[in-house]
Amino acid sequence: MASSGQVRASHILIKHQGSRRKASWKDPEGRVIMNTTRDSAVSQLKALREDIVSGKVKFEDLASRFSDCSSAKRGGDLGPFGRGQMQKPFEEATFGLKVGEVSDIVDTDSGVHIILRTG
C-alpha cells in the first residue's frame, strides 16, 4: 500500500470543548463533549493507549467503546487514505508510523486521537 502513496489506519477520537464539532454518534447533543476538557480527553486517551500497548486489550475493542468518531462501528478503521485527505497533524502522524505502531496523542481540530497504522 505504501507504494501507492496510501496508508491504512484506525483511530480513537475523544472530542472536547475545543473540538470543531461538539457532537458525535454517541453524544448527539454534545452534552458530554461540552463538559470534557482537552486535558481530561488526553488523560483518557493515555490510559487507553497504555492498555493497548501492554496487550491488555485490543485497539478495535476500545475504539468501538470509546471513540467519538463514527468509525467506532468498524473498530476505528478509517480505511486507506492518501496525503491531503486528512487533517495535516493526523496525516503526518499516520505516515510517520510503522504498520502495527500506535501513535502518541495527536491533536486536530476534531479533538485528540491515538492512531494505529494498519497498512
Side-chain angles (χ1 to χ4, degrees):
M1 255 197 266
S3 60
S4 67
Q6 288 199 321
V7 293
R8 185 174 188 142
S10 296
H11 76 138
I12 299 173
L13 165 67
I14 307 283
K15 292 186 176 195
H16 55 77
Q17 295 161 340
S19 296
R20 179 179 52 196
R21 282 185 34 234
K22 294 179 184 57
S24 74
W25 68 276
K26 68 177 188 178
D27 185 18
E29 269 86 65
R31 288 192 185 108
V32 174
I33 294 164
M34 285 299 293
N35 291 307
T36 302
T37 64
R38 182 192 171 276
D39 287 347
S40 66
V42 167
S43 293
Q44 186 181 0
L45 267 185
K46 283 183 175 176
L48 295 176
R49 186 182 187 282
E50 280 179 32
D51 286 348
I52 292 162
V53 172
S54 71
K56 279 188 202 166
V57 279
K58 290 185 177 171
F59 190 98
E60 54 271 17
D61 293 342
L62 292 182
S64 298
R65 288 180 40 217
F66 295 104
S67 184
D68 282 318
C69 180
S70 58
S71 67
K73 297 166 186 157
R74 298 180 303 279
D77 184 23
L78 295 168
F81 59 89
R83 293 203 179 268
Q85 291 184 268
M86 299 289 179
Q87 292 176 57
K88 199 76 173 152
F90 191 95
E91 174 188 303
E92 287 174 3
T94 306
F95 275 86
L97 294 170
K98 294 183 177 84
V99 173
E101 265 186 326
V102 178
S103 73
D104 285 324
I105 306 299
V106 177
D107 265 295
T108 70
D109 291 343
S110 300
V112 289
H113 314 251
I114 51 175
I115 306 163
L116 168 65
R117 181 161 171 186
T118 57

